[in-house]
Amino acid sequence: MILALGFTLISLTSVFGINNNNFRENDFCQLSGEKHGICRKILECPEGDRSASARCTSTGQARVVCCPITAQALCIQVPIHRISRAGPHVVGNTENANVGDFPFMGLLKYKDRTKRCGAALITKKHLLTAAHCIRNGKPTHVLLGTNSANDSGAEPYRIARIVMHPKYNSLKSSNDIAIVEMAEEYDTTKEIDPLCLYGSEEDLPSNENLTVVGWGWTNTGTHNVSDILQKGTVRTTNLNSCQTSYKGVKRSITSHHLCAQGEADANGVYTDACSGDSGGPLVKLVDSKYHLLGIVSIGHDCGLKNYPGVYTRVANYLDWIIAQL
């Protein structure tokens, strides 16, 4: 298994779909200078961060002002997702995902057709992926709105900009995160929608079900990648235990990582991400919306009992992510 807010208001119009100057509650707006925000009720906006200069239209007696963009504000724009039951494995016994099950899922396309990485859509034009998916050959397009990696009918979206985390370290697999910006917004008539960014840095209970999806290897013996998107259920693993396991293979696991693994199948292969799933999302359902917890980063082989999959913990990078939009 392997950016600072600098857009003009016109750019925000392109990215977030703003099409008028009288912004309503939850619309994106402009703060002082070149900073941008979102219209919220004044009591929901931290004191000192407000801007009365933006044209936010108040409703009723509640005054609406322009507040800084947050993960919560972005999540408001995300529609309710259709819930799909995750199958047992991404590697091992697999279960196909249907079109629309994970409308935020993207497949990065490279000149080298043997290379595969996933990505997760977080706005109308931006996706998150792993930095190591960018390091050795940049993708040119991203495929959205399909469950097939070879869907000839799906329109690939051109990539306009890629931003790797400035402190990405390939040797330590630290800060393994990157932003991919498409040249145009996705087609709203397709089965495509963004997902929310998970905001809590607290560890999850070990019995909580999470879902990992990808087009990577489905069998560690044959090294076959899947044409159809696969889904699997995993649970977080204690970080200290994960750190101990990976010391033996000289991998440094930190609080900026999440470790997760599912149950074993009849052959003793544990639910796990695998090669080709890199950059893909680890998600959790919260109030019928998928939230992005982790990005598939590294592992030791796939599906081994004492080596859970390692993910970049998205909550640790919220400030950096939002600054790139």
Side-chain angles (χ1 to χ4, degrees):
M1 169 172 34
I2 53 172
L3 304 143
L5 289 172
F7 288 93
T8 64
L9 192 57
I10 293 175
S11 292
L12 273 181
T13 300
S14 175
V15 175
F16 296 113
I18 301 172
N19 53 21
N20 62 67
N21 292 324
N22 296 311
F23 308 129
R24 296 168 295 179
E25 187 178 355
N26 298 326
D27 281 349
F28 288 89
C29 52
Q30 186 167 14
L31 291 163
S32 58
E34 294 185 346
K35 294 183 179 180
H36 300 91
I38 189 168
C39 291
R40 303 295 297 274
K41 290 184 177 68
I42 193 167
L43 294 179
E44 298 174 354
C45 185
E47 189 173 355
D49 291 336
R50 307 166 185 165
S51 172
S53 62
R55 297 179 180 179
C56 292
T57 301
S58 297
T59 56
Q61 296 182 350
R63 186 183 177 196
V64 178
V65 296
C66 194
C67 298
I69 297 173
T70 64
Q72 181 183 14
L74 289 174
C75 192
I76 292 172
Q77 317 300 317
V78 174
I80 298 297
H81 288 134
R82 185 173 78 191
I83 308 306
S84 172
R85 182 183 66 84
H89 290 274
V90 173
V91 58
N93 293 325
T94 61
E95 184 172 340
N96 294 344
N98 297 314
V99 175
D101 282 353
F102 305 100
F104 49 82
M105 187 65 191
L107 177 65
L108 299 182
K109 306 290 283 185
Y110 301 82
K111 289 182 179 179
D112 179 359
R113 295 187 178 182
T114 64
K115 186 173 181 178
R116 281 195 181 180
C117 272
L121 189 70
I122 61 170
T123 77
K124 292 181 178 180
K125 293 181 70 174
H126 297 88
L127 302 98
L128 285 182
T129 189
H132 79 261
C133 289
I134 309 301
R135 181 171 174 265
N136 296 317
K138 294 182 178 181
T140 58
H141 295 78
V142 59
L143 207 62
L144 294 171
T146 182
N147 66 339
S148 173
N150 298 306
D151 187 348
S152 59
E155 180 181 356
Y157 291 84
R158 291 186 301 110
I159 293 174
R161 184 176 69 121
I162 297 174
V163 185
M164 291 175 56
H165 194 280
K167 293 186 178 180
Y168 168 59
N169 186 312
S170 60
L171 295 178
K172 296 182 178 180
S173 298
S174 59
N175 305 306
D176 191 9
I177 185 171
I179 291 179
V180 172
E181 181 182 344
M182 299 187 298
E184 57 186 333
E185 296 178 7
Y186 61 80
D187 186 344
T188 55
T189 66
K190 305 293 185 181
E191 295 276 3
I192 306 171
D193 281 311
L195 81 172
C196 298
L197 298 172
Y198 191 71
S200 175
E201 296 181 24
E202 295 182 3
D203 290 335
L204 295 172
S206 59
N207 62 346
E208 191 159 4
N209 285 345
L210 309 175
T211 303
V212 58
V213 289
W215 282 280
W217 290 358
T218 57
N219 188 306
T220 57
T222 61
H223 297 178
N224 290 329
V225 293
S226 177
D227 174 54
I228 302 299
L229 184 66
Q230 302 296 300
K231 54 186 177 180
T233 299
V234 295
R235 300 178 181 88
T236 55
T237 302
N238 178 273
L239 188 62
N240 289 335
S241 173
C242 187
Q243 289 171 330
T244 299
S245 295
Y246 277 89
K247 280 183 180 178
V249 292
K250 298 181 179 181
R251 289 286 193 178
S252 177
I253 309 301
T254 72
S255 60
H256 281 52
H257 291 112
L258 282 171
C259 299
Q261 189 175 64
E263 297 179 354
D265 64 10
N267 297 317
V269 178
Y270 286 76
T271 307
D272 195 6
C274 203
S275 182
D277 294 322
S278 291
L282 175 70
V283 298
K284 173 186 176 181
L285 270 172
V286 182
D287 297 330
S288 298
K289 293 184 180 184
Y290 280 112
H291 285 63
L292 181 63
L293 277 77
I295 298 169
V296 177
S297 180
I298 61 168
H300 181 61
D301 209 333
C302 310
L304 299 183
K305 179 179 180 180
N306 295 319
Y307 293 95
V310 180
Y311 302 78
T312 300
R313 190 190 293 248
V314 170
N316 290 94
Y317 298 92
L318 292 183
D319 290 344
W320 179 79
I321 293 168
I322 291 170
Q324 311 314 311
L325 302 181

